[in-house]
Amino acid sequence: MNRFFQYAKLSKCLIILMFSGFLLSNVLYAQQRRPATTPARQPTKEQLQRQAKELETQIRNTNRMLEETSKNRTANVNQLNILNAQINQRDQLIQTINNEISVVNTGIRDYETQISELERDIKNLKNEYAKLIVATQRHLNSMEQLLFIVAAENFNQAYRRLRYFQQYSAHRKKQVELIHQKQEELAELKTFLEEEKDTKTELLTKEQQEKTELDSEKNKRNKIITDLQKRERELREENRKNQAEQKRLSQQIERIIQQEVEAARQAAAKRAAEEAAKRGAAAPPPAKPDVTQLTPAEQKLADDFVSNRSRLPWPTERGQITERFGTHDHPVIKGVKISNDGVTISTPKNEPVRAVFNGTVVNIYPSPFGDAKTVIIVHGNYRTVYTNLKSISVKAGQTVTTRQQIGVVNTHDSKDFVGFQIWRDLQKLDPQQWIAK
């Protein structure tokens, strides 16, 4: 009878130990390491790093343009505009670095939380495992295990009892392996944490360097503005001349586009009349004179152009917008306005100019800027206009593809720039809303 109660007690102990072993394993498997995360809808660290590299490349290109303009010892508005563009780039770079620091800080906090949780879990798991070992040694010595198996009522029951002991032993071994795995994950997390802290230190150093450069650039800008203000009369005359040239160019481009729209309207009306005559019907009423009539192929091209809004490539690979679309204040002279039908992109010398989308070259026209030329490319009822070009590499009627070179930037008044415009029929559009940021 005593032996029966002993085995019953042993069986109960075994069941408890087996349940504890399974519970421990489930806890260990459930608490796998979570990767460091960043808040939803925020750029990742990799995206911010790419953005920072792009801005650094732009700043280097702008620096080269500034070095070229600084050869002229007399300060000029173009130099000021390029410097303003560089300051904006530097501001964006500092903001990008700040965003990356924020992401890194989030990663550091996440790693620190995971490390604390892992350290606590490992401590608890070791304590639980120690209790299992003690219980096993107290209640399940080798002789008791053997007696428990031999005392089985039949072979199947003996086999099941043997399997219990084998599974429990395997569980205990697995638990040791999982504790070691958790310790390895802990060491890995600590390594990642140190790497993030090193990254943060590097970013803080870089941020301070960029702020120092920004302060220097702002000081240069203030000096240029002071020098230019001393030459206000000269600048007023220069601006009057530039705006007169800009007005002549605008009138020329608008007249050309009006002629093209009218020619397209007449061609469409002729096609419609011919088709109506074939059906024995009356000709449809003429379309509005300020709207381009499109063939199905032209409409598809126009739709494709629209679908690429804000994603069109720049007309130059290198360059900065130094004069934006519309009417705005002069950067130096108070009360003086500047008007632009597109954007002005300052570039390095001899910078290639390229088509921003598939289309057809309508024609090539002389512009008011010395020996410069204007190229207009049609994309259905949209047109892109490229002014102040030299060494034209396309001809009227030629089909061009996206990023195909159409010419080279011309130098005008010691400035290297291309004027870029976008028109929908006779409506002028802001190119900055169409080209890639």
Side-chain angles (χ1 to χ4, degrees):
M1 182 65 68
N2 291 337
R3 180 59 61 85
F4 173 78
F5 284 115
Q6 183 180 6
Y7 289 154
K9 181 180 179 182
L10 184 62
S11 178
K12 182 179 180 182
C13 178
L14 181 62
I15 292 171
I16 293 172
L17 290 171
M18 290 295 293
F19 177 77
S20 301
F22 278 111
L23 181 61
L24 181 61
S25 296
N26 288 338
V27 170
L28 286 165
Y29 276 115
Q31 295 175 350
Q32 297 297 321
R33 169 177 164 260
R34 301 184 304 275
T37 58
T38 56
R41 296 183 180 179
Q42 284 193 0
T44 64
K45 184 166 67 174
E46 291 72 20
Q47 290 172 329
L48 291 168
Q49 287 172 342
R50 287 195 296 271
Q51 184 179 338
K53 287 182 179 178
E54 291 173 0
L55 286 167
E56 288 168 355
T57 299
Q58 292 176 14
I59 289 172
R60 284 195 297 271
N61 290 334
T62 308
N63 259 328
R64 283 195 284 269
M65 287 189 284
L66 279 173
E67 290 172 1
E68 187 66 30
T69 59
S70 64
K71 292 178 181 178
N72 183 354
R73 296 185 179 181
T74 303
N76 56 66
V77 174
N78 184 53
Q79 186 178 3
L80 175 62
N81 288 336
I82 295 174
L83 186 55
N84 279 331
Q86 186 176 47
I87 289 173
N88 289 335
Q89 292 164 352
R90 191 84 62 184
D91 277 328
Q92 292 177 40
L93 178 56
I94 291 172
Q95 183 58 52
T96 301
I97 294 172
N98 284 330
N99 292 341
E100 190 175 350
I101 290 173
S102 177
V103 171
V104 170
N105 280 333
T106 301
I108 288 174
R109 289 192 297 270
D110 191 51
Y111 282 134
E112 288 175 339
T113 300
Q114 292 183 62
I115 287 171
S116 296
E117 292 175 353
L118 268 177
E119 289 175 337
R120 183 176 62 252
D121 293 342
I122 290 172
K123 181 180 179 180
N124 292 337
L125 292 173
K126 284 182 176 180
N127 290 338
E128 292 297 325
Y129 183 69
K131 292 177 182 178
L132 288 176
I133 295 298
V134 171
T136 302
Q137 293 174 347
R138 182 180 300 169
H139 299 290
L140 295 177
N141 59 50
S142 299
M143 182 56 68
E144 289 176 333
Q145 292 180 23
L146 179 60
L147 291 174
F148 183 66
I149 295 171
V150 171
E153 295 178 0
N154 53 53
F155 177 79
N156 286 337
Q157 188 183 64
Y159 177 74
R160 287 197 300 272
R161 291 180 176 183
L162 176 61
R163 288 292 298 156
Y164 286 150
F165 286 118
Q166 290 174 339
Q167 290 173 4
Y168 177 76
S169 177
H171 257 300
R172 194 170 63 182
K173 182 179 179 181
K174 183 65 176 177
Q175 290 161 10
V176 173
E177 293 174 354
L178 289 174
I179 290 175
H180 289 162
Q181 177 185 333
K182 288 290 178 182
Q183 290 172 329
E184 291 174 358
E185 291 177 0
L186 178 61
E188 184 181 19
L189 277 174
K190 288 182 177 180
T191 299
F192 290 154
L193 176 60
E194 291 305 314
E195 290 176 353
E196 289 290 82
K197 288 181 176 179
D198 290 342
T199 299
K200 179 179 178 180
T201 300
E202 293 173 1
L203 287 171
L204 289 171
T205 301
K206 185 176 181 181
E207 180 189 30
Q208 187 55 51
Q209 292 172 344
E210 296 300 331
K211 285 183 176 179
T212 300
E213 290 291 335
L214 180 62
D215 289 339
S216 175
E217 290 164 357
K218 287 182 176 179
N219 289 334
K220 290 179 183 176
R221 178 175 65 182
N222 292 337
K223 184 178 182 304
I224 292 175
I225 291 175
T226 300
D227 291 345
L228 290 173
Q229 287 173 339
K230 294 176 181 177
R231 299 163 42 218
E232 181 174 334
R233 181 178 298 180
E234 179 183 340
L235 290 182
R236 285 183 180 275
E237 177 59 26
E238 179 183 318
N239 181 69
R240 187 198 62 76
K241 174 186 174 185
N242 290 338
Q243 288 298 292
E245 290 179 344
Q246 187 68 40
K247 184 177 181 180
R248 290 200 303 274
L249 177 63
S250 178
Q251 291 173 342
Q252 180 188 58
I253 292 171
E254 188 165 358
R255 184 175 63 255
I256 291 168
I257 293 178
Q258 281 178 334
Q259 292 172 354
E260 293 170 3
V261 171
E262 176 60 21
R265 188 187 68 82
Q266 291 181 2
K270 182 179 179 181
R271 289 195 302 270
E274 291 173 350
E275 292 173 1
K278 290 179 181 178
R279 299 191 305 268
K288 295 180 180 180
D290 58 344
V291 177
T292 305
Q293 299 299 295
L294 304 178
T295 65
E298 291 170 339
Q299 185 62 58
K300 182 179 184 308
L301 181 60
D303 293 341
D304 290 343
F305 186 85
V306 173
S307 68
N308 281 274
R309 180 187 170 96
S310 80
R311 294 188 289 119
L312 294 175
W314 280 50
T316 60
E317 186 174 350
R318 299 175 299 170
Q320 294 301 324
I321 293 176
T322 50
E323 191 176 305
R324 63 185 185 276
F325 173 80
T327 301
H328 46 277
D329 294 332
H330 190 279
V332 178
I333 310 172
K334 293 182 179 180
V336 173
K337 300 291 184 178
I338 294 176
S339 180
N340 197 330
D341 290 340
V343 293
T344 299
I345 302 175
S346 294
T347 71
K349 281 186 176 297
N350 299 317
E351 179 72 10
V353 179
R354 56 195 188 178
V356 301
F357 201 72
N358 302 334
T360 302
V361 178
V362 177
N363 216 322
I364 300 162
Y365 307 92
S367 76
F369 306 142
D371 59 350
K373 293 181 174 60
T374 296
V375 174
I376 301 178
I377 300 177
V378 64
H379 320 273
N381 64 322
Y382 287 83
R383 288 168 178 80
T384 51
V385 181
Y386 312 77
T387 67
N388 196 43
L389 271 62
K390 67 175 183 179
S391 305
I392 303 299
S393 52
V394 292
K395 57 185 178 181
Q398 179 178 340
T399 299
V400 294
T401 56
T402 305
R403 291 188 175 87
Q404 178 177 335
Q405 182 172 337
I406 60 175
V408 175
V409 166
N410 182 52
T411 300
H412 176 64
D413 286 346
S414 301
K415 297 181 291 185
D416 297 280
F417 68 92
V418 59
F420 178 61
Q421 303 175 14
I422 297 180
W423 294 62
R424 180 179 60 224
D425 296 317
L426 297 179
Q427 180 185 3
K428 305 164 190 174
L429 306 176
D430 183 357
Q432 280 190 268
Q433 297 179 2
W434 290 78
I435 56 178
K437 302 296 184 288

